Amino acid sequence: MNIVVIGAGNVATHLAEALKNAGENIVQVFSRTELSAKTLADKLRTAYTTDISNIERNSDVYIYALKDDALAEIIEQMPTKNGIHLHTAGSVPMSIFAQKKTHFGVLYPLQTFTKSKKVDFANIPLFIEASDDKTEKTLHDLAQKISKKVYCANSTERGRLHLAAVFACNFVNHLFAIADELLGDVPFSELLPLITETVAKAQTMPPKDAQTGPAHRGDTATMEKHLQLLASNKAWQTIYRNISDDIMRCNDEGEKQ
Amino acid sequence: MNIVVIGAGNVATHLAEALKNAGENIVQVFSRTELSAKTLADKLRTAYTTDISNIERNSDVYIYALKDDALAEIIEQMPTKNGIHLHTAGSVPMSIFAQKKTHFGVLYPLQTFTKSKKVDFANIPLFIEASDDKTEKTLHDLAQKISKKVYCANSTERGRLHLAAVFACNFVNHLFAIADELLGDVPFSELLPLITETVAKAQTMPPKDAQTGPAHRGDTATMEKHLQLLASNKAWQTIYRNISDDIMRCNDEGEKQ
């Protein structure tokens, strides 16, 4: 299939490369930033444009991999209704296309992307949604070419998936950043065995059954010491208190059952 | 060396097994709970007692792997000053032994333990502290028999390490538990590629440089949607808001630099 990629950020880059490797034909890249557009187009050995009016009008698929707040404007300006129009955002409903396009949908990869770091697309869960059965079939076939894990999810379900991903990925990474700073001169790598074990446990048992630590034990003396250590950073003290309180609340609920 | 293990919980079990496998002689296990004492003693093919007055008086090392709030009482009741007395707690200062024993110290493994799950002790960072140089030498040699990573840390440094571990392990696991609940019918395993990638990034770059997500992008529209999805759970809404605010604060500081 002929595919136009709109956007040249992390998601656009990884998704376009996976599609090309699966034998799809990326006919054009659009980005308003020439360097980004050219960099991605060069990687894909294809054409690019920074002028939305120059977008190829007769492509089979248009993939909008853009920041959420840019989506509506670019969809509005897109000079064609032909083909299938897809966005890749977790928290934007499919209905954003409804007034503007005929066939449309969503292809949401549940993964975090960094341009410089290769990812194995085959194991990334892809959640799809489509405007009609024929589009869903096409989208499903396309998604299966790049991933073994393709699921249907409507916009409400996808919003919850994205929210869960924010907790399990974005927020987890920020807790790593806080831990890194708390370690001072000790390198963050010394925490990796602990982190690896935490994730290994999550692979073998429900996370709520794997909980350990002062809050889980109800060890108020240690929690008090920790809150004192955090006295100079009220934001971290608040995060410590809120998460500990929530762990203790889960314990209480577990005991009641 | 002859070692008495005081306690029969997760840390006691894993540490005693590692020491035995390294050729040390576990002469006795003490726990007030007979089933726990017997279970661990059977594993180690050694003796046990539930009566603290029956503790072996002439062992080389006594390892107290107990809940923090039980430590002071058990140290008080311990019927011998002979040998080296060690605890394994991150947030208890070494000075808890000072009035009661002659040679003492701390052996703190930076890891989370579950009884049923084997861990590779060789890669667990062990942080040690001792009352005197001779004890430190003995403790260092003992620690090196079970781990390749032995470091000295005083009680203040160890307290910070423990606090960092609470953020990077206990709190991270609780965020996994929240994500699991948010996923509803979608199995938690669908988040594992995302989690694995998050940890893989932390192995190759400082976590603050790896941050992604709505708060990092300053995407207030998505954050508003997420806060609405969390409206029925005020505790999670507060955690979402606090961590997002802190991510945005880090962005601001990064930009100022």
Side-chain angles (χ1 to χ4, degrees), chain A residues 67-68 91-93 110-114 116-119 123-125 127 149 151 159-183 186 188-208 210-214 217 219 222 225-226 229-230 233 235-236 238-240 242-244 246-247 249-250, chain B residues 67-68 91-93 110-114 116-119 123-125 127 149 151 159-183 186 188-208 210-214 217 219 222 225-226 229-230 233 235-236 238-240 242-244 246-247 249-250:
Chain A
K67 285 190 183 178
D68 293 10
S91 290
V92 177
L110 192 60
Q111 185 52 287
T112 175
F113 298 99
T114 314
S116 58
K117 201 169 170 308
K118 276 212 184 306
V119 291
N123 288 309
I124 298 176
F127 293 87
K149 297 173 174 176
Y151 309 96
R160 290 186 75 83
L161 286 168
H162 185 214
L163 176 57
V166 166
F167 276 92
C169 164
N170 305 146
F171 287 180
V172 160
N173 185 74
H174 187 62
L175 296 190
F176 290 164
I178 293 174
D180 191 16
E181 204 158 319
L182 289 170
L183 283 175
V186 176
F188 186 72
S189 57
E190 296 305 339
L191 278 180
L192 289 174
L194 180 61
I195 290 168
T196 305
E197 178 67 13
T198 303
V199 173
K201 278 190 196 177
Q203 290 173 335
T204 59
M205 61 180 99
K208 70 172 166 17
Q211 191 63 53
T212 57
R217 292 193 302 272
D219 179 350
T222 298
K225 286 178 197 165
H226 285 168
L229 280 174
L230 294 168
N233 190 317
W236 293 357
T238 304
I239 290 170
Y240 187 99
N242 290 338
I243 299 182
S244 294
D246 203 50
I247 291 171
R249 185 188 56 73
C250 288
Chain B
K67 284 191 183 177
D68 293 9
S91 290
V92 177
L110 192 61
Q111 185 53 286
T112 174
F113 298 100
T114 314
S116 59
K117 199 167 171 310
K118 277 210 186 304
V119 291
N123 287 310
I124 297 176
F127 293 87
K149 298 174 175 175
Y151 309 96
R160 290 186 76 83
L161 286 167
H162 185 213
L163 177 57
V166 166
F167 276 92
C169 163
N170 305 146
F171 287 179
V172 160
N173 185 75
H174 187 62
L175 296 189
F176 291 164
I178 293 174
D180 190 17
E181 206 160 314
L182 289 170
L183 284 175
V186 176
F188 186 72
S189 56
E190 296 306 338
L191 278 179
L192 288 174
L194 179 61
I195 290 168
T196 305
E197 178 68 12
T198 304
V199 174
K201 278 190 196 177
Q203 291 173 334
T204 60
M205 62 181 99
K208 70 172 167 14
Q211 192 63 53
T212 56
R217 292 193 302 272
D219 178 350
T222 298
K225 285 178 197 166
H226 286 168
L229 280 175
L230 294 168
N233 190 318
W236 293 356
T238 303
I239 290 170
Y240 186 98
N242 291 339
I243 299 182
S244 294
D246 203 50
I247 292 170
R249 185 188 56 73
C250 288

Side-chain angles (χ1 to χ4, degrees), chain B residues 17 21-22 36 39 41 52 56 60 63-64 74 96 132 135 144 157 163-165 183-184 191 225-226 239 249:
Chain B
E17 288 187 310
N21 291 339
S36 309
T39 303
I52 200 162
E56 175 66 46
D60 299 309
I63 299 180
Y64 301 66
I74 298 288
I96 194 169
D132 54 278
T135 302
Q144 281 197 319
E157 292 161 345
L163 177 57
L183 284 175
L191 278 179
K225 285 178 197 166
H226 286 168
I239 290 170
R249 185 188 56 73

Side-chain angles (χ1 to χ4, degrees), chain A residues 81-92:
Chain A
K81 282 195 172 200
N82 295 335
I84 297 174
H85 296 254
L86 306 173
H87 77 66
T88 60
S91 290
V92 177

Side-chain angles (χ1 to χ4, degrees), chain B residues 102-114:
Chain B
T102 314
H103 301 291
F104 50 86
V106 180
L107 175 67
Y108 172 56
L110 192 61
Q111 185 53 286
T112 174
F113 298 100
T114 314

Side-chain angles (χ1 to χ4, degrees), chain B:
Chain B
M1 279 198 296
N2 290 336
I3 300 174
V4 171
V5 174
I6 300 141
N10 293 342
V11 177
T13 300
H14 285 283
L15 186 55
E17 288 187 310
L19 288 165
K20 184 183 160 74
N21 291 339
E24 301 298 330
N25 188 23
I26 313 293
V27 294
Q28 192 182 38
V29 172
F30 164 77
S31 167
R32 283 174 179 162
T33 312
E34 177 147 15
L35 180 61
S36 309
K38 185 176 184 323
T39 303
L40 180 52
D42 286 354
K43 264 190 197 166
L44 302 168
R45 300 186 187 189
T46 191
Y48 73 91
T49 179
T50 60
D51 180 351
I52 200 162
S53 68
N54 286 338
I55 278 195
E56 175 66 46
R57 308 290 162 103
N58 291 302
S59 184
D60 299 309
V61 177
Y62 296 83
I63 299 180
Y64 301 66
L66 299 166
K67 284 191 183 177
D68 293 9
D69 53 7
L71 254 179
E73 188 191 340
I74 298 288
I75 293 169
E76 176 75 40
Q77 295 171 353
M78 183 61 51
T80 178
K81 282 196 172 198
N82 295 334
I84 297 174
H85 296 254
L86 306 174
H87 77 64
T88 60
S91 290
V92 177
M94 178 175 72
S95 60
I96 194 169
F97 289 114
Q99 304 300 317
K100 306 290 171 188
K101 308 297 171 197
T102 314
H103 301 291
F104 50 86
V106 180
L107 175 67
Y108 172 56
L110 192 61
Q111 185 53 286
T112 174
F113 298 100
T114 314
K115 260 188 205 169
S116 59
K117 199 167 171 310
K118 277 210 186 304
V119 291
D120 174 17
F121 234 93
N123 287 310
I124 297 176
L126 299 180
F127 293 87
I128 64 167
E129 182 180 16
S131 55
D132 54 278
D133 287 352
K134 186 158 171 279
T135 302
E136 185 177 303
K137 171 84 173 68
T138 307
L139 176 50
H140 200 272
D141 290 349
L142 184 67
Q144 281 197 319
K145 286 192 179 169
I146 55 174
S147 170
K148 294 179 289 187
K149 298 174 175 175
V150 179
Y151 309 96
C152 294
N154 65 31
S155 293
T156 307
E157 292 161 345
R158 191 172 60 252
R160 290 186 76 83
L161 286 167
H162 185 213
L163 177 57
V166 166
F167 276 92
C169 163
N170 305 146
F171 287 179
V172 160
N173 185 75
H174 187 62
L175 296 189
F176 291 164
I178 293 174
D180 190 17
E181 206 160 314
L182 289 170
L183 284 175
D185 293 339
V186 176
F188 186 72
S189 56
E190 296 306 338
L191 278 179
L192 288 174
L194 179 61
I195 290 168
T196 305
E197 178 68 12
T198 304
V199 174
K201 278 190 196 177
Q203 291 173 334
T204 60
M205 62 181 99
K208 70 172 167 14
D209 298 344
Q211 192 63 53
T212 56
H216 183 69
R217 292 193 302 272
D219 178 350
T220 50
T222 298
M223 287 189 275
E224 267 312 310
K225 285 178 197 166
H226 286 168
L227 289 169
Q228 280 169 28
L229 280 175
L230 294 168
S232 64
N233 190 318
K234 294 295 170 197
W236 293 356
Q237 210 179 40
T238 303
I239 290 170
Y240 186 98
R241 193 174 279 123
N242 291 339
I243 299 182
S244 294
D245 286 350
D246 203 50
I247 292 170
M248 289 189 281
R249 185 188 56 73
C250 288
N251 282 353
D252 292 346
E253 285 178 6
E255 279 165 19
K256 272 181 218 146
Q257 280 164 7

Side-chain angles (χ1 to χ4, degrees), chain A residues 51-68:
Chain A
D51 180 351
I52 201 161
S53 69
N54 286 338
I55 279 196
E56 174 66 46
R57 309 289 162 106
N58 292 303
S59 184
D60 299 309
V61 177
Y62 296 82
I63 299 180
Y64 300 67
L66 299 166
K67 285 190 183 178
D68 293 10

